[in-house]
Amino acid sequence: MDFFINKFKECSKLPAIIWNDNFVTYENLLIKYSQAIEFIRIKGLEEGEVISLTGDFTPNTIALMFALIHNNNIIVPINHNAKESEHIKLIIACVQKGIIVNVEDDKYRMENIGGTGQHLLYDTIRECKNPGLVLFTSGTSGKPKGAVHDFSKLLEKFRTARKSLRTVNFLLFDHWGGLNTMFHTLSNGGIVLVLKERRPDSICSFIEKYKIELLPASPTFLNLLLISEEYKKYDLSSLKLITYGTEPMPQSTLERVRRVFPDVKLQQTYGLIELGVLRSKSKSNDSLWVKVGGEGFDTRVVHGLLEIKAESAMLGYLNSPSPFTEDGWFMTGDQVEEDGEYIKILGRKSEIINVGGEKVYPTEVESIIQEFDNVAEVKVFAEKNPIIGNIVCAKVRLVNEEEKKQFIMRLKIYCKQKLQSFKVPVKVIIDEEQQFSDRFKKKRI
């Protein structure tokens, strides 16, 4: 914690957080941090206990995060809106006590959760007398898995000073991308800019008001932004960089973003809750080829699948087998193509559709369908077929209401012009339900 606290003292008079249109200085943050440490002492939280922290990037949530790190607790961040998945996560993580922060007034309280706090991975962290962190996979393609980290290894990279742009904290509090943005910003004396709502209109308004330079987002959100056309109503000229990650980017969406924001650099990022965020460099603004790695990371491709070795790698999953090879490489499950130092992520191996021995990547078909008029969202998936193994299906949400049979006929004609026959969706379903989770990632099941 020393390098963070020293930076806070060095920047004491500067703004650290903008929350609810209020400025919180680094000096104020230090006061809240001291109050959080006292709260932990009064409540009798012991080193090594498993504590959930439910909230968002409010001043007190951030202060409590640092206080729990200081106290060497094993921390389980929970997004305050994650009501459906919260219970199962608390059970999987064996959480003993929880701190809940009210995101409206920033007041907090503690409650007893009743978990055992026992797991072999936790024992490893306690033996080192380090803080721990438990992050969960999104669960968009199955039950969420709990990844256990020695928190000190993830925090180590923030000792290196880097430039901090005015960045909106778009990614969520229980997502390493969101936490990574926060720690990067504060370790470099920047301002954590906290969103109250993550809608296209509110984000565009926020960018205009606070002259945001960097917008980290998911491809799903960027697609929603384009469809809404809210970007036309605000002055977004302060934007210098849009980064995208957390899921594959359809080529058609990337090209539309480039056309709408011609003066903004577009950069693909690559990070995993199991490893942290790698440094990345896109080949160009309209290219899905990206170079990933950086200090503390090594990459290799084995049988078309990306594998990574990282100093900041998790210790393992709480509720799933180890995804590491015997020599310590993490098997990402991402199918990739290679071009020298660059890779292109084609999609998860588990999501590939086998049609009569031919491979179909859902993101390729989705990219084509996303180009078609009146399409808001599309999700491509497999359906079992006794003759060819699987058929390609597509679930589509429309921008405007349209006669379903007529739309489906138009779409299939379009796909036949753009795709090989085995990739053309046999079944098209029109559905009004949104296809993304609260993390703005496409739901794959």
Side-chain angles (χ1 to χ4, degrees):
M1 286 297 300
D2 288 350
F3 67 96
F4 278 105
I5 300 307
N6 290 337
K7 176 58 72 172
F8 296 174
K9 290 176 180 177
E10 178 187 324
C11 302
S12 62
K13 301 303 180 185
L14 298 176
I17 305 166
I18 296 178
W19 171 73
N20 277 358
D21 292 327
N22 295 314
F23 284 75
V24 177
T25 65
Y26 278 93
E27 186 174 44
N28 297 145
L29 181 58
L30 280 169
I31 292 170
K32 292 181 181 295
Y33 168 66
S34 297
Q35 292 169 341
I37 288 176
E38 181 64 9
F39 174 81
I40 287 172
R41 187 192 66 79
I42 291 172
K43 294 297 182 180
L45 287 192
E46 297 180 3
E47 181 177 326
E49 281 192 287
V50 183
I51 310 297
S52 62
L53 178 58
T54 303
D56 202 347
F57 293 102
T58 70
N60 275 330
T61 311
I62 293 172
L64 283 160
M65 172 66 78
F66 280 106
L68 290 168
I69 293 170
H70 171 79
N71 200 52
N72 286 339
N73 287 114
I74 298 169
I75 307 161
V76 185
I78 302 287
N79 177 39
H80 71 103
N81 280 330
K83 302 303 180 187
E84 293 181 8
S85 59
E86 179 179 2
H87 181 65
I88 185 66
K89 290 177 180 177
L90 296 178
I91 292 173
I92 292 171
C94 306
V95 172
Q96 294 166 278
K97 296 171 186 173
I99 301 176
I100 298 92
V101 184
N102 186 317
V103 297
E104 298 300 325
D105 59 15
D106 209 22
K107 293 181 180 179
Y108 50 92
R109 59 184 171 83
M110 183 176 290
E111 63 181 35
N112 184 48
I113 305 299
T116 63
Q118 297 303 311
H119 197 282
L120 289 175
L121 297 175
Y122 293 161
D123 292 342
T124 301
I125 295 170
R126 289 168 181 146
E127 287 170 7
C128 298
K129 294 189 178 298
N130 285 337
L133 179 68
V134 179
L135 297 170
F136 282 88
T137 58
S138 61
T140 55
S141 57
K143 187 177 179 180
K145 294 180 286 190
V148 180
H149 284 272
D150 180 328
F151 211 160
S152 63
K153 292 182 179 179
L154 286 171
L155 295 174
E156 187 63 29
K157 75 171 188 175
F158 300 107
R159 289 182 182 273
T160 303
R162 300 188 187 279
K163 185 178 180 181
S164 180
L165 298 174
R166 291 179 73 88
T167 306
V168 59
N169 249 92
F170 173 82
L171 300 174
L172 301 183
F173 175 68
D174 62 348
H175 186 291
W176 180 243
L179 290 173
N180 183 75
T181 298
M182 180 196 79
F183 286 121
H184 170 81
T185 301
L186 294 177
S187 65
N188 290 286
I191 308 173
V192 176
L193 294 135
V194 184
L195 289 163
K196 192 166 186 178
E197 297 176 303
R198 288 171 171 84
R199 299 193 321 266
D201 59 336
S202 59
I203 288 179
C204 288
S205 172
F206 199 80
I207 291 170
E208 178 184 78
K209 184 172 185 177
Y210 292 110
K211 307 301 179 190
I212 303 297
E213 297 172 303
L214 167 56
L215 170 63
S218 66
T220 292
F221 175 78
L222 291 173
N223 178 57
L224 294 174
L225 176 62
L226 294 170
I227 292 168
S228 72
E229 297 191 341
E230 290 293 332
Y231 59 85
K232 295 180 178 179
K233 303 175 185 177
Y234 299 90
D235 178 7
L236 307 184
S237 60
S238 62
L239 274 179
K240 297 179 180 178
L241 176 63
I242 294 175
T243 60
Y244 57 91
T246 76
E247 61 182 352
M249 167 69 90
Q251 183 69 49
S252 57
T253 302
L254 179 60
E255 289 173 358
R256 287 158 59 216
V257 173
R258 181 181 60 83
R259 289 196 297 269
V260 169
F261 298 100
D263 299 322
V264 177
K265 182 181 178 182
L266 307 179
Q267 180 178 321
Q268 184 174 179
T269 60
Y270 190 82
L272 298 159
I273 68 156
E274 296 90 348
L275 306 176
V277 178
L278 288 71
R279 295 186 67 77
S280 64
K281 180 183 178 182
S282 293
K283 186 176 279 190
S284 65
N285 265 15
D286 60 353
S287 174
L288 292 176
W289 290 96
V290 61
K291 188 190 304 183
V292 299
E295 187 179 350
F297 295 95
D298 292 307
T299 63
R300 71 183 185 187
V301 177
V302 179
H303 304 305
L305 297 173
L306 180 63
E307 296 184 356
I308 302 172
K309 184 177 281 190
E311 293 175 4
S312 58
M314 68 170 184
L315 300 176
Y317 291 126
L318 290 170
N319 57 332
S320 191
S322 172
F324 294 96
T325 63
E326 289 185 2
D327 53 348
W329 291 81
F330 177 76
M331 297 177 285
T332 67
D334 284 327
Q335 194 91 32
V336 300
E337 290 180 357
E338 293 181 274
D339 181 12
E341 295 181 292
Y342 289 87
I343 60 170
K344 181 191 285 186
I345 300 166
L346 303 175
R348 307 289 291 178
K349 180 185 178 183
S350 59
E351 294 165 3
I352 296 173
I353 303 170
N354 189 312
V355 179
E358 300 282 2
K359 290 182 179 179
V360 179
Y361 294 96
T363 50
E364 179 190 0
V365 182
E366 287 166 356
S367 180
I368 295 298
I369 296 176
Q370 199 74 63
E371 295 173 345
F372 195 60
D373 66 284
N374 204 25
V375 174
E377 291 183 275
V378 57
K379 175 170 58 182
V380 170
F381 58 97
E383 187 175 290
K384 292 292 183 185
N385 181 275
I387 300 172
I388 56 175
N390 295 282
I391 59 171
V392 177
C393 304
K395 183 178 284 190
V396 179
R397 183 168 71 85
L398 302 179
V399 177
N400 300 306
E401 195 171 325
E402 181 178 343
E403 203 282 317
K404 291 183 179 179
K405 287 185 178 179
Q406 186 179 22
F407 174 84
I408 291 171
M409 183 168 33
R410 290 197 304 117
L411 178 62
K412 286 188 175 182
I413 292 171
Y414 181 80
C415 287
K416 287 175 182 177
Q417 296 170 347
K418 299 280 186 173
L419 293 165
Q420 293 167 281
S421 59
F422 65 89
K423 296 178 181 178
V424 175
V426 174
K427 183 184 291 187
V428 177
I429 303 164
I430 309 299
D431 196 304
E432 296 180 2
E433 184 182 1
Q434 290 183 330
Q435 299 177 1
F436 57 90
S437 68
D438 58 0
R439 297 193 195 198
F440 290 94
K441 288 182 66 175
K442 192 182 294 291
K443 294 178 181 177
R444 284 293 175 188
I445 287 187

